[in-house]
């Protein structure tokens, strides 16, 4: 499992798709989150906290290579924004 994650994060082909996912997720976050920002941000902040704690467990590996570092940061931010977007969509359906 660790080798698969290493290969995923070390792939230079992942840099652009992760950047696109981050940008699209951020745009959706800004557009949708303005209406139900409070609740959605709480859920996404929890995801960000968990993701950053997982990220720090592999600090030496992540900082040893620029591509891995870039992909790791973008993956954490993509997880944050996607969780916020999903939370906003779910909360909109519930309210």
């Amino acid at each position: 499992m660790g080798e698969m994650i290493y290969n995923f994060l070390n792939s230079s082909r992942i840099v652009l798709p992760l950047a696109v996912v981050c940008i699209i997720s951020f745009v959706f976050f800004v557009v949708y989150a303005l209406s139900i920002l409070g609740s959605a941000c709480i859920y996404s902040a929890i995801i960000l906290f968990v993701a950053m704690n997982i990220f720090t467990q592999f600090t030496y590996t992540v900082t040893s290579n620029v591509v891995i570092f870039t992909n790791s940061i973008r993956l954490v931010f993509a997880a944050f924004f996607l969780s916020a977007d999903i939370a906003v969509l779910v909360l909109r359906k519930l309210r």
Side-chain angles (χ1 to χ4, degrees):
M1 182 71 173
E3 185 70 28
M4 183 179 74
I5 293 171
Y6 179 82
N7 290 334
F8 174 76
L9 294 176
N10 196 23
S11 174
S12 59
R13 293 184 296 178
I14 300 299
V15 174
L16 184 61
L18 277 178
V20 170
V21 168
C22 285
I23 291 169
I24 291 172
S25 299
F26 177 72
V27 169
F28 280 123
F29 176 76
V30 170
V31 170
Y32 288 119
L34 293 176
S35 62
I36 312 173
L37 185 61
S39 299
C41 283
I42 290 171
Y43 299 130
S44 57
I46 292 169
I47 297 296
L48 180 63
F49 177 75
V50 170
M52 290 306 290
N53 280 310
I54 293 170
F55 176 72
T56 58
Q57 296 297 318
F58 303 101
T59 302
Y60 178 75
T61 304
V62 168
T63 58
S64 66
N65 187 332
V66 174
V67 175
I68 294 174
F69 182 75
T70 303
N71 287 337
S72 298
I73 293 292
R74 287 185 178 157
L75 192 60
V76 168
F77 281 116
F80 168 73
F81 288 126
L82 285 174
S83 65
D85 294 337
I86 291 169
V88 167
L89 292 173
V90 168
L91 290 172
R92 278 191 144 181
K93 291 289 182 188
L94 294 177
R95 293 184 183 180

